[in-house]
């Protein structure tokens, strides 16, 4: 089962030092996969055809080397959908050349992302056929256009008919940002994609839709039975604020270690003990007066819908 973290948000990407720090955090917490997919990395999406120039290439290679030292798999994701010509042999050659480029820098795997682009009636067929060719009969993870929900569509029917059975598809749950994911919803989505394995792209604690609101509480609402079904694993999409991710992501790690035994309050208490002080320092001084909460369970409830950094610092300080 894949236990991962993905830098997959819109907005200012994490700095190089922040990424190195979070890779080491991933190793400590038992995550085994790091996916590099920041939407505003120009060479990931807008300028996908181009290799990384010297300094950027050196930094990517250093991330891959740090992952190897930490025992974490470094995965690169490429998102060519904004401008690729599906019929162009030159574009396909550019795509495969980019894969070899990042592999030479140390990427263990390369994923193919088709998300967040304008659909056409032929998107499902064309993306399936190009994904199949890119995979070459081997394993591949892709992110489809229709990555959320359990309903059917022409796009998903095309993927059922066209996409190679070995290819794993990302799915974010019943919603783009899912408050809960049930086993029955997973099973329905698996069926919609042709009974293939799905990799859960969990949009928690990501906050690029409201960058001032931080989701610092524990992961909640994830069915412990998900991995008894056709879920290949879960990768958690982080917030823009690098260090504060450590509180919620540590609880994601606890859930992935033992879904059946996971207790969000207990997991959050452990995360607070280990990372609370560091997160409070990163949040800055408390700037508002808040009503103090009495215990960790009440703190979890207070953080559940997200809070600004000043409120977060005020709420967390008595517990860290």
């Amino acid at each position: 089962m894949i236990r991962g973290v993905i830098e997959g948000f819109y907005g200012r990407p994490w700095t190089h030092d922040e990424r190195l720090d979070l890779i080491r955090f991933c190793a400590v917490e038992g995550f085994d996969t790091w996916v590099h997919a920041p939407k505003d990395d120009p060479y990931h999406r807008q300028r996908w055809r181009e290799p990384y120039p010297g300094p950027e290439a050196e930094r990517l290679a250093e991330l891959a080397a740090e992952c190897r030292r930490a025992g974490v798999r470094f995965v690169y994701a490429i998102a060519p959908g904004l401008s690729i010509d599906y019929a162009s042999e030159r574009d396909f050659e550019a795509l495969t050349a980019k894969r070899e480029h990042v592999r030479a820098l140390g990427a263990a795997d390369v994923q193919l992302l088709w998300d967040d682009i304008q659909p056409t009636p032929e998107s499902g067929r064309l993306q399936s056929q190009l994904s199949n060719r890119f995979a070459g009969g081997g394993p591949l993870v892709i992110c489809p256009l229709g990555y959320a929900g359990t309903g059917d569509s022409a796009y998903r029917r095309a993927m059922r008919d066209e996409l190679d059975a070995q290819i794993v598809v990302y799915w974010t749950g019943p919603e783009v940002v899912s408050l809960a994911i049930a086993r029955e919803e997973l099973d329905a989505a698996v069926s919609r994609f042709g009974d293939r394995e799905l990799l859960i792209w969990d949009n928690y604690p990501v906050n690029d839709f409201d960058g001032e609101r931080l989701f610092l509480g524990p992961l909640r609402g994830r069915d412990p039975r998900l991995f008894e079904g056709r879920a290949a694993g879960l990768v958690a999409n982080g917030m823009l604020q690098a260090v504060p991710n450590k509180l919620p992501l540590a609880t994601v790690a606890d859930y992935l270690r033992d879904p059946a035994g996971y207790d969000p309050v207990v997991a959050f208490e452990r995360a607070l003990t280990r990372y609370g002080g560091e997160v409070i320092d990163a949040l800055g001084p408390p700037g508002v007066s808040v009503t103090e909460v009495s215990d960790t369970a009440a703190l979890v409830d207070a953080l559940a819908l997200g809070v600004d950094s000043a409120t977060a610092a005020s709420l967390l300080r008595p517990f860290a």
Side-chain angles (χ1 to χ4, degrees):
M1 181 175 77
I2 296 168
R3 301 172 175 86
V5 169
I6 183 168
E7 184 184 352
F9 51 77
Y10 292 90
R12 183 189 69 82
W14 294 329
T15 69
H16 186 61
D17 286 342
E18 286 171 341
R19 288 172 179 150
L20 291 170
D21 178 55
L22 285 172
I23 286 168
R24 297 175 192 123
F25 160 85
C26 285
V28 169
E29 289 296 326
F31 290 105
D32 59 21
T33 301
W34 175 277
V35 185
H36 182 91
K39 300 295 189 186
D40 289 339
D41 170 354
Y43 301 98
H44 158 72
R45 188 172 170 86
Q46 291 281 351
R47 298 164 66 180
W48 63 268
R49 295 176 181 84
E50 301 175 33
Y52 283 84
E56 286 87 349
E58 291 172 7
R59 285 191 284 270
L60 205 65
E62 188 175 348
L63 294 178
E66 187 62 34
C67 280
R68 286 194 298 274
R69 282 191 291 270
V72 175
R73 193 170 183 81
F74 182 79
V75 176
Y76 182 86
I78 186 168
L82 289 174
S83 61
I84 195 167
D85 179 348
Y86 298 99
S88 167
E89 190 65 26
R90 179 175 294 179
D91 269 6
F92 184 76
E93 289 173 357
L95 187 63
T96 55
K98 186 63 166 283
R99 175 172 59 188
E100 294 313 305
H101 169 66
V102 295
R103 280 179 172 171
L105 296 175
D109 285 311
V110 178
Q111 298 177 352
L112 191 55
L113 309 188
W114 300 114
D115 54 322
D116 299 346
I117 60 173
Q118 189 64 37
T120 71
E122 291 295 300
S123 292
R125 179 180 66 84
L126 293 173
Q127 290 172 9
S128 295
Q129 290 175 351
L130 195 145
S131 298
N132 293 344
R133 189 178 178 197
F134 188 71
L140 176 68
V141 175
I142 71 164
C143 186
L145 266 171
Y147 50 74
T150 60
D152 205 6
S153 65
Y155 179 87
R156 289 182 174 181
R157 288 192 292 274
M159 285 208 153
R160 286 203 296 272
D161 293 340
E162 299 276 354
L163 192 63
D164 189 284
Q166 292 190 80
I167 293 177
V168 174
V169 172
Y170 272 124
W171 179 67
T172 63
E175 307 289 343
V176 175
V177 179
S178 297
L179 291 177
I181 305 176
R183 167 67 189 277
E184 290 76 14
E185 292 165 328
L186 169 71
D187 291 347
V190 165
S191 177
R192 297 301 193 192
F193 279 105
D195 295 319
R196 71 182 66 252
E197 280 199 311
L198 303 183
L199 177 55
I200 299 171
W201 176 317
D202 201 323
N203 274 323
Y204 189 80
V206 72
N207 65 341
D208 55 359
F209 52 89
D210 186 355
E212 299 303 313
R213 185 155 51 123
L214 280 67
F215 298 97
L216 299 169
L219 183 71
R220 299 200 290 183
R222 279 23 177 195
D223 195 326
R225 303 171 296 151
L226 288 175
F227 305 106
E228 298 168 12
R230 301 213 69 196
L234 181 150
V235 296
N237 194 10
M239 292 185 287
L240 283 79
Q241 296 83 357
V243 171
N245 279 297
K246 293 182 181 182
L247 282 181
L249 289 180
T251 73
V252 174
D254 279 350
Y255 167 73
L256 292 173
R257 273 192 289 271
D258 182 13
Y262 176 69
D263 182 320
V265 174
V266 171
F268 193 60
E269 288 174 340
R270 183 188 74 83
L272 277 171
T273 299
R274 186 153 200 168
Y275 303 109
E278 181 182 3
V279 168
I280 288 170
D281 288 345
L283 293 172
V288 295
S289 297
V290 298
T291 302
E292 289 192 9
V293 294
S294 57
D295 54 30
T296 311
L299 176 61
V300 166
D301 288 339
L303 296 171
L305 297 180
V307 295
D308 61 79
S309 59
T311 301
S314 297
L315 287 168
L316 291 172
R317 193 168 295 277
F319 290 87

